[in-house]
Amino acid sequence: MRFAAGLGLAALLALMLVSLGVGAAEISVRQARSDAWTMLVLMESRLPRTLAVALAGAALAVSGTLIQSLVRNRFVGPDTTGTSESAALGLLAVTILAPASPIWVKMVAASFAAMAGTALFIVVIRRLPRREVMLVPIAGLVLSGVLGSIVTWIAWQADLLQYVGVWMSGEFSGVTAGRYELLWVAGLAAGLAWVGADRFAILSLGDGVATGLGLSTASVMRFGLVVVAVVSALVVTTVGMVPFLGLVVPNIVARVMGDNLRASLPVVAASGAGLLLACDIIGRLLIAPYEMPVSVILGVLGALIFLVLLYRRPAHA
Amino acid sequence: MIEIHDLHYRVGAAPILSDISLSLPEGSLTALIGPNGAGKSTLLRLMARLEPLQSGRITVEGLDLATTPTDAMARTLAIMGQQNSVASRLRVRELVGFGRWPHHQGRPRAADREAVEAAIDAFGLQPFAGRFLDELSGGQVQRAFLAMTFAQDTAWMLLDEPLNNLDVAHARALMARLAQLVQDTGRSVVAVVHEVNYAAAWADHVVAMKHGRIVAQGAAEAVLTEDLLSDLYDTPVEVSRHDGRPLVLHHHSHSRIADLSRGRLPDRARLS
Amino acid sequence: MPERASWQVIAGLTGLLVLSSLVWMFQGIGGGNRSFILTLRATKLAGLITVGASIAIATVLFQTVAANRVLTPSIMGFDALYLLLQTLLVASVGITGFAMLDPTLKFLAEIAVMVLLAGLLFGTLLGRGARDIPRTILTGVILGVLFRSISGFVSRILDPNAYAVVQSVSFASFGSINASLLLPGGLIAAGMIAAAFALSSRLDVLALGRTAAVSLGLRHRRMVLLTLALVAVLVSVSTALVGPVGFFGLLVAGLAHGAAASDRHAALLPIAGLIGALILVAGQTIFERAMSQPATLSVVVEFAGGLFFLYLLMKGRIR
Ligand SMILES: Nc1ncnc2c1ncn2[C@@H]1O[C@H](COP(=O)(O)OP(=O)(O)OP(=O)(O)O)[C@@H](O)[C@H]1O
Ligand SMILES: [Mg+2]
């Protein structure tokens, strides 16, 4: 166990180092101390980008785990529950109504909109016929589509399609020092979730069991909702939507080590960071000197993994 | 003591429970019996605050269900539901460990770990303790949930059909363990059972329900009579005695075969 | 033959369609350039009717094969598959080569490949009667996402211009119809719709489900593949003309089932086709002429269709 954890951490660090070294400007990380320009590229662009990818990946993966335990369904993620689209809607509203407002106002608006959207999703799935496990993700995908079409339409009317295009497809090429720091808040929110890990694990055992163990299901639900919404809103505003990451990473980790979240959440976070870093590096290398947005790569990869998960024979029954 | 006053419960317009007043004695093993749909699970879930009270009052050890904080309640009363399956992928030891949550709120001490191991031992789960629930048989899963409820270590335990999926040996062992627990520690257990002989053999107190009402309650000998059981289940049964306790014959009793040949058996559909 | 109530519905819908077509053609027509405007409008009208009827009938056919009222070709990724083919074609011959291909020939080849792929993919998915319907839907939705993602991926590997080409065909626009394909597309669609009408009594049997259909002597597998081929062709035509249309088919099929007195295909197919054409013609007239927002119809349809889908799910009308 220890050994595997160490190996995982080493892999994550290696990916981060590679991420520091890859990019349009040819630099060598080792020369940074002696060469001022190299240092500048490193500190202003590469390091912020690497940190931004790692933070976004970790936070999204954790919020995926949370939303999955809130709705007790493995086939959902923050990008298939209307959360990200609602965040974009909130952001759009502020951009239109009060274009001059500072960034934190936009964040707060996006977070509240994301919360409302996720709550709407939960209301919808509560009314679905029980036992139809697959209906939950379908409803989420359709809800995301409907909200997304509202966003596109409003943006089109207000001539803001370009902005929205940036929010809708996640990429890290624009990340520089001073433009990603809010992602630390997302990372913090995900860390906070770890404090409540046991509560989320118990909640996913069912309302009956949770109440029987003296848990206030409503307050755990609210807590989870806030974390998921804040993470989604921050990621959407800073780098744009990243599809499937929050869905597939928790599934894969649960497959290997189960759902005891206190033990597995750190692994989920590290795996999310690692996967997103790997995709981002691939995106930078594939058509260099151009870049492929990470959301395009994850769209293909994530959809394929999802299909495998969907048809994998369940371990029992 | 659990006291229930004048409880009514309906879903939409349909009355599910009517006019229930009951006091369940402390330090006893109570069996709750009755046909499918009688309202047993509903009553248990109401006693465990899993459904909101619509009218009436329930107190557990003097704590009013409507006003007691849920975490305090969780240290007084534990419930195991009729359907036990979870979507999350947990190992048996992890699941049982969550039974201690009300006591440590996420910071388990040595005593908690001991309680978990004791519960695992008690249900013969030691060989499976490190396995995921979705890699176990139905009866093994049932035992894992029972162990979790035991680990919660409360004055009251409400068990909805704890014998589901258990083989004869494990069923007997469970009933014996429940009886032992009640006798040794003065705890109280309420269990829904369908096989009345388990009630006859082990229960101190029996409550019979039908159509959302209490039909009879009292000592096992007083309730488990031929007339009452035949009425309760709409099917003829015979009661004889064995080891000083009632023994209910229903499966292969000759009278039943005689009834069959005379065509007196009721339509089974009426039971539901 | 449809019964009387259905005839009345068909007659009423036909009347409404003629009426809105007339408004579309002659509303606000001024002095100069009369014939030019009329030709332009007539082309668009033909396109709208072709697309509306094709999508409606393709959806009804697909729902019959799938024995399900929630599935539609779009939800299952048919049109995304068509776009993927388009992208792969751009990828293999380049933008200039793409522009030089004879559009009709290219179109026919694409349709042929679509029929093949749809038969393979959806024939396997639905051929034995989908058992786990929700999982089948989810698979389709994800396949759609996958096809779109691969399109995006491939076009970005190519070069920025190819990306723009793919993007431009990836959104539905009832306002701008691909006129070069209208004639071949319209003819093909008409042929397929006629074939569907001819098959309508067999479709009734197919709708009973595999067990009943087989015991009634229908060659089930062949019928499934045949129907899927019709669906693939119709979807190809409409996607080539206006792009993917999302939930439009679901909306129309739902309305058609509500309007038809029975679920006999002899009545259902014409009613669906008429409703589909009517919505597009009337809707486009309103949005383009009255509100001067020619691109809004697709968004409104998408929105309404999405809500209708959620409504169906919550009502438990999944099967
Ligand atoms: N959510 C609900 N909506 C409508 N009716 C319900 C609901 N839950 C339970 N019922 C009805 O309430 C009655 C009592 O149900 P309950 O589950 O308490 O029965 P039970 O005695 O536990 O039966 P069993 O032995 O089958 O478990 C049944 O007739 C059932 O149909
Ligand atoms: Mg019950």
Side-chain angles (χ1 to χ4, degrees):
Chain A
M1 210 56 223
R2 281 272 159 73
F3 179 69
L7 210 65
L9 267 186
L12 185 59
L13 282 177
L15 278 170
M16 293 182 83
L17 274 179
V18 173
S19 169
L20 287 178
V22 176
E26 296 270 341
I27 59 164
S28 156
V29 178
R30 261 180 285 166
Q31 287 169 3
R33 302 264 297 265
S34 56
D35 183 14
W37 184 73
T38 306
M39 194 67 185
L40 189 73
V41 172
L42 216 51
M43 297 312 287
E44 287 299 311
S45 161
R46 297 287 169 76
L47 187 64
R49 178 172 189 159
T50 303
L51 289 175
V53 177
L55 283 171
L60 281 176
V62 168
S63 71
T65 311
L66 294 196
I67 188 92
Q68 285 175 12
S69 65
L70 293 190
V71 305
R72 276 177 221 123
N73 190 301
R74 281 218 185 288
F75 295 109
V76 299
D79 55 310
T80 61
T81 49
T83 312
S84 303
E85 283 79 5
S86 317
L89 201 57
L91 211 50
L92 193 60
V94 181
T95 313
I96 292 174
L97 299 177
S101 39
I103 183 82
W104 66 265
V105 173
K106 294 187 176 173
M107 292 295 171
V108 172
S111 301
F112 273 105
M115 240 174 276
T118 318
L120 177 68
F121 170 70
I122 290 175
V123 169
V124 168
I125 62 164
R126 286 250 167 98
R127 309 191 57 179
L128 292 177
R130 291 192 174 198
R131 285 179 216 288
E132 293 279 16
V133 186
M134 301 287 175
L135 287 192
V136 173
I138 296 169
L141 284 160
V142 174
L143 187 65
S144 305
V146 169
L147 291 171
S149 78
I150 300 179
V151 172
T152 314
W153 188 75
I154 295 180
W156 183 70
Q157 295 286 319
D159 218 358
L160 288 172
L161 263 186
Q162 230 166 357
Y163 274 90
V164 170
V166 172
W167 301 333
M168 294 280 201
S169 91
E171 63 174 322
F172 291 88
S173 59
V175 171
T176 51
R179 293 178 61 180
Y180 83 103
E181 281 72 7
L182 276 165
L183 284 176
W184 285 105
V185 180
L188 198 73
L192 219 58
W194 188 63
V195 177
D198 283 344
R199 288 181 168 77
F200 291 111
I202 291 177
L203 190 69
S204 54
L205 295 178
D207 279 342
V209 175
T211 309
L213 292 175
L215 215 64
S216 156
T217 51
S219 67
V220 182
M221 201 88 171
R222 272 194 298 273
F223 177 31
L225 211 58
V226 169
V227 172
V228 172
V230 166
V231 167
S232 302
L234 291 173
V235 171
V236 168
T237 2
T238 42
V239 295
M241 288 179 204
V242 178
F244 287 118
L245 187 85
L247 194 155
V248 297
V249 170
N251 270 290
I252 295 170
V253 173
R255 199 70 209 125
V256 178
M257 60 181 297
D259 282 324
N260 188 1
L261 297 187
R262 181 169 290 254
S264 72
L265 265 189
V267 180
V268 167
S271 313
L275 180 60
L276 198 58
L277 272 169
C279 289
D280 186 53
I281 293 170
I282 294 173
R284 276 182 266 174
L285 292 175
L286 210 54
I287 48 171
Y290 300 109
E291 277 198 23
M292 176 94 71
V294 80
S295 57
V296 175
I297 296 174
L298 266 173
V300 177
L301 197 66
L304 285 174
I305 300 178
F306 192 164
L307 287 177
V308 171
L309 292 171
L310 204 55
Y311 281 87
R312 183 206 74 216
R313 210 170 270 284
H316 198 78
Chain B
M1 187 104 136
I2 291 186
E3 284 188 281
I4 302 175
H5 285 290
D6 200 21
L7 183 75
H8 291 258
Y9 188 79
R10 50 180 67 233
V11 175
I16 306 291
L17 296 177
S18 318
D19 197 16
I20 303 234
S21 292
L22 197 61
S23 48
L24 296 172
E26 223 161 277
S28 68
L29 173 51
T30 302
L32 187 54
I33 63 171
N36 289 150
K40 307 180 295 293
S41 296
T42 309
L43 180 59
L44 235 51
R45 290 178 61 82
L46 281 163
M47 282 157 53
R49 75 203 173 294
L50 298 185
E51 309 289 345
L53 276 187
Q54 292 172 348
S55 71
R57 206 169 100 97
I58 300 180
T59 57
V60 180
E61 304 283 295
L63 301 171
D64 189 335
L65 218 56
T67 56
T68 310
T70 183
D71 51 342
M73 209 64 218
R75 290 188 290 272
T76 310
L77 175 145
I79 180 168
M80 191 196 73
Q82 183 171 356
Q83 244 113 36
N84 293 300
S85 68
V86 294
S88 46
R89 226 169 114 72
L90 290 175
R91 293 185 180 82
V92 171
R93 184 172 281 113
E94 291 165 346
L95 180 81
V96 178
F98 281 127
R100 297 300 301 168
W101 169 267
H103 302 280
H104 62 61
Q105 304 284 325
R107 278 178 300 280
R109 289 170 300 253
D112 293 311
R113 276 186 276 275
E114 277 164 29
V116 170
E117 293 309 315
I120 289 176
D121 278 336
F123 287 90
L125 289 165
Q126 214 45 271
F128 319 111
R131 282 224 249 156
F132 285 110
L133 288 174
D134 54 10
E135 299 164 354
L136 298 185
S137 76
Q140 290 162 349
V141 171
Q142 178 80 358
R143 276 148 58 196
F145 275 92
L146 280 163
M148 174 184 176
T149 314
F150 261 69
Q152 203 171 332
D153 194 23
T154 49
W156 283 86
M157 256 196 278
L158 312 182
L159 308 173
D160 199 348
E161 303 195 19
L163 304 176
N164 277 353
N165 292 323
L166 297 188
D167 64 35
V168 182
H170 279 107
R172 287 186 46 152
L174 173 64
M175 291 310 285
R177 176 167 301 284
L178 291 175
Q180 191 75 46
L181 188 81
V182 166
Q183 208 170 51
D184 292 354
T185 65
R187 277 164 221 275
S188 321
V189 175
V190 183
V192 175
V193 286
H194 277 306
E195 168 53 70
V196 274
N197 276 315
Y198 285 106
W202 307 101
D204 312 308
H205 192 78
V206 175
V207 176
M209 287 183 74
K210 189 174 185 178
H211 298 322
R213 292 174 186 276
I214 307 284
V215 180
Q217 57 169 317
E221 279 90 61
V223 176
L224 302 175
T225 62
E226 263 179 26
D227 287 349
L228 196 134
L229 289 176
S230 301
D231 265 5
L232 188 66
Y233 292 108
D234 285 321
T235 191
V237 298
E238 281 178 17
V239 177
S240 71
R241 296 191 74 76
H242 179 72
D243 271 357
R245 286 196 163 245
L247 176 68
V248 184
L249 304 170
H250 50 102
H251 281 306
H252 303 291
S253 67
H254 295 293
S255 65
R256 181 182 151 125
I257 292 165
D259 282 336
L260 254 182
S261 59
R262 270 183 254 129
R264 248 186 57 197
L265 261 194
D267 183 1
R268 279 197 72 82
R270 268 177 55 205
L271 294 184
S272 58
Chain C
M1 275 287 102
E3 28 194 304
R4 224 178 110 193
S6 297
W7 276 120
Q8 288 166 353
V9 176
I10 293 176
L13 286 169
T14 313
L16 283 175
L17 181 59
V18 169
L19 194 70
S20 44
S21 300
L22 288 176
V23 175
W24 168 265
M25 286 301 291
F26 298 109
Q27 177 270 334
I29 197 145
N33 260 342
R34 230 187 140 93
S35 68
F36 172 73
I37 293 181
L38 276 180
T39 326
L40 202 69
R41 288 186 175 181
T43 318
K44 261 192 169 180
L45 180 66
L48 289 174
I49 291 178
T50 308
V51 169
S54 299
I55 292 293
I57 291 187
T59 307
V60 170
L61 292 179
F62 191 76
Q63 294 188 342
T64 299
V65 177
N68 177 294
R69 291 278 188 82
V70 175
L71 293 178
T72 75
S74 292
I75 292 174
M76 298 298 292
F78 265 63
D79 42 13
L81 182 61
Y82 181 81
L83 289 181
L84 177 58
L85 279 182
Q86 196 93 341
T87 314
L88 292 178
L89 197 63
V90 179
S92 50
V93 300
I95 300 179
T96 39
F98 188 73
M100 268 159 51
L101 286 176
D102 176 51
T104 315
L105 215 61
K106 175 170 76 78
F107 185 44
L108 291 178
E110 281 167 358
I111 289 181
V113 179
M114 264 300 277
V115 170
L116 204 72
L117 285 182
L120 277 179
L121 207 58
F122 300 102
T124 8
L125 212 54
L126 303 168
R128 296 181 165 271
R131 266 149 304 180
D132 189 347
I133 301 250
R135 182 161 78 169
T136 311
I137 305 180
L138 194 53
T139 310
V141 177
I142 297 299
L143 279 179
V145 175
L146 181 65
F147 295 152
R148 271 187 287 277
S149 306
I150 298 179
S151 291
F153 185 81
V154 172
S155 60
R156 275 181 199 261
I157 285 192
L158 293 176
D159 67 277
N161 296 333
Y163 179 65
V165 172
V166 172
Q167 281 292 299
S168 71
V169 293
S170 300
F171 294 102
S173 163
F174 298 118
S176 58
I177 284 165
N178 187 346
S180 64
L181 294 178
L182 185 55
L183 189 64
L187 287 178
I188 294 172
M192 293 302 130
I193 291 173
F197 284 2
L199 288 172
S200 60
S201 70
R202 285 190 212 184
L203 288 167
D204 290 338
V205 178
L206 185 64
L208 298 176
R210 185 163 187 274
T211 317
V214 170
S215 73
L216 288 173
L218 188 76
R219 292 166 73 176
H220 185 263
R221 185 156 182 76
R222 214 182 62 160
M223 188 64 194
V224 165
L225 289 179
L226 185 63
T227 315
L228 281 176
L230 292 181
V231 173
V233 176
L234 288 170
V235 172
S236 304
V237 169
S238 86
T239 313
L241 290 179
V242 297
V245 293
F247 289 114
F248 175 63
L250 182 82
L251 202 58
V252 176
L255 291 174
H257 276 288
S262 77
D263 276 357
R264 303 287 300 272
H265 284 75
L268 199 55
L269 290 175
I271 289 178
L274 284 168
I275 292 180
L278 179 64
I279 290 183
L280 289 194
V281 174
Q284 194 63 20
T285 308
I286 293 170
F287 282 110
E288 192 170 321
R289 303 287 168 72
M291 300 167 68
S292 321
Q293 299 199 332
T296 303
L297 178 62
S298 61
V299 180
V300 171
V301 164
E302 186 68 8
F303 182 68
L307 291 185
F308 180 60
F309 185 87
L310 287 179
Y311 165 82
L312 285 180
L313 288 192
M314 290 202 272
K315 280 277 162 192
R317 296 269 183 76
I318 180 83
R319 276 158 218 289

